Amino acid sequence: MQTKPVKQESQILGTYAGGKTLIPNQLADAAAVPDNEDRLRRYVEHSPDAVAIIDCEMRYVTVSRRWETDCGLDAGEAIGRFHWEVFHNVPQYWLQNARACLAGILEYSEFVEMRPIEPVAENARSGRWEWVKWVIQPWKNSSGAIGGSIVFTEKVASEIASENCSKQPSEVKSQQLEIADLLTKIALDRAPDTVFCISSDGRIDYANEAAVRVLGYSQSELLELTVSDIDPHLLAADWSAHWEELKLAGNLTFESSYKTKEGATLPVEVKVSYLEWGDRQYCCTIARDICDRKAAESALLEAKEQLQAVLDAVPGFVSWVSSDLRYLGVNKHLAAAYKLEAETFIGQKVGFLDNSPLFNDLVYEFFASNAKTVSKEITVSIKDATKTYLIVAQKYQKGSTAVFVGLDVTERKQTLLALQESEERLRQQAAKLEQTLLVLRRTQTQLIQTEKMSFLGQLMAGIAHEINNPVSFISGNISHASGYINDTIELLGLYQKHYPDPAEEIQARLEQLDVEFIKKDASELLRSMKVGSERIRDVVRSLRLFSRPDEAEMKPADIHEGLDSTLLILQNRLQAKGGRPGINLIKEYGNLPKVECYAGQLNQVFMHLLTNAIDALEEGGKNSEKYDKIGQERSKIHAPHPQIRIRTEVVAETEVAISISDNGPGMTEEVLACIFDPLFTTKSPGTSTGLGLAISHHLIVEKHGGQLYCFSQPEKGTELIIQIAIDRC
């Protein structure tokens, strides 16, 4: 079998010698536009041409009758089979082009192959050959992603094949290598990490898209720099030594920092590999942004320092011991009691001081038992004085480690009251320590969530900016395209008026094109494109209004504008789905002035409150007694249609109030008392962090100096009211 590539272009219609259109207009349109999968299949099934649909795994989904006839297959025989099961000895070039189309690299591929004249399913060769032309074009599924390819085949005369095929089979291998090189370059360009290819003199010969995005330089600017320009730690004078070290080691991994075009410093983890290509030497550098890791390490170190400070503040002896009976650490009071540095204890065996045998026995017995906690009074000798300590121990890390807290109870043992007071103080201190640790964990989680929301806002703003440019281009050209098409149709009408009897070839072409349909459909098509572009522009505007990445200070903002942008983002969740009817949205906006606030943070609050309201209505919709399926009666009493009401008004002339209410299942008093607690949630595990209302309360109360109220009763819905000042001055 021989194959000769004809062309690989980003186009929809392909023609070959004789002027015959190989891909019908309807099929091309259906393949390019999502939500037309069923229509595309119907076209294929009734197409007079040899055409088939394959999925992303190259398995046949639908074929035309002509396809089965030309391939010598019975009706339905190809459905569900892979291409190489139907066509034996599939050339590698065919698979390369098909995979490139399925990956979105090629929008269209066309080539000619020579194959033996035989039934496809048989292996016997007849000794006769024929030229077959293949055309492969991706089609999109309902979500807009590539769902497979449309495959067209046509037998062509050898003369036509010779005219269209300018490349020899030996060149096919070259094109295969070109596709492989293209895939490799695309993988490097789209890698999330920064990738450089650096020559032996330190100059940058290649930089991927991530390097351009992260460092802020253009591609051409980066290729004018040396590695020392972006890595201030790697001086030009030290480059030779660094290069020799890399050649000797082959691979190096280290941490450094890159300097962006704006002068910012970015911590990175760098992996460098030495390469030789032809007669030149290079190093491939892959740098990963470790800002988050550094922040996490810093936060962990700070948390450990805070914990150590808390334990040092405990008025007693605190030590950590591992199951192999060695000290992991002590607080400053214990170290000072023995006139030693705290680091001296680390790694030492329990009992190395030889002055507290009872404590040693307690540690041995505690680790030998299955008990999780223990408390015991022991007597030890410290500074030539004998004292009694109440030792409280608790295991953690699955029993491999324990913390021991010792309190001096020598004087308090004299009376029962003194002993009771000491025990109570110990319990209070333990509770305070536990509460402090809990607050630290909650604060850390809340900071991480806030950082995620900040990053999400920046990401949404960036996406909105990038989408806005092509949408403006499309929208601006639709009116021109409409005028051109109308002028063309008007000109065509004049031709039909003054030349009512065109030549037979023109008449046949007019009937084939169905000009009357095109006249009617063209304006509708342009109108649909205009509506679509306006819809995209509205979404982009809402994303930018919602994120507000450029407003880090308090500024006067339109509350209604923020609410509308949030609602547009949540529009999909308001629609009917999963047996739950659509949510009715009622907006009762008052006449509000602009409010001085952090608009981006306020939009986050709107997002949290509206999302909670939608979740409550969806949870209520799962109760068949409360929300019946549309058109069916399952109980005598019907709950109201799911509804969210947003009301705004000015109160006390100096403040505005925003009310968001729903008619969902509501909450009990017990749940209502905990809704603003961090990590508290009534939703299923894994579906919510329990931080939405806590963060909202923090942003309204602490950041804006306002109030966030919640009113709810079971089966009567929930109302959340935001109240903030119009002017903070």
Side-chain angles (χ1 to χ4, degrees), residues 627-641:
Y627 290 100
D628 294 337
K629 290 185 177 180
I630 298 175
Q632 298 181 2
E633 180 175 342
R634 292 187 175 180
S635 66
K636 295 181 179 180
I637 301 176
H638 291 269
H641 192 86

Side-chain angles (χ1 to χ4, degrees), residues 126-197:
S126 63
R128 298 168 58 198
W129 297 78
E130 62 183 358
W131 288 100
V132 178
K133 188 169 189 176
W134 294 90
V135 179
I136 304 173
Q137 178 190 342
W139 60 270
K140 297 182 180 179
N141 58 24
S142 58
S143 62
I146 293 176
S149 289
I150 307 174
V151 181
F152 301 84
T153 183
E154 184 81 10
K155 297 178 183 178
V156 296
S158 58
E159 296 81 1
I160 297 174
S162 299
E163 292 177 6
N164 285 319
C165 302
S166 59
K167 297 183 180 179
Q168 298 302 319
S170 61
E171 294 182 273
V172 174
K173 183 66 175 178
S174 175
Q175 291 219 3
Q176 293 175 3
L177 294 175
E178 290 178 5
I179 292 177
D181 292 342
L182 177 61
L183 291 174
T184 302
K185 184 178 185 305
I186 290 175
L188 288 175
D189 283 342
R190 298 183 180 178
D193 296 331
T194 300
V195 180
F196 294 111
C197 188

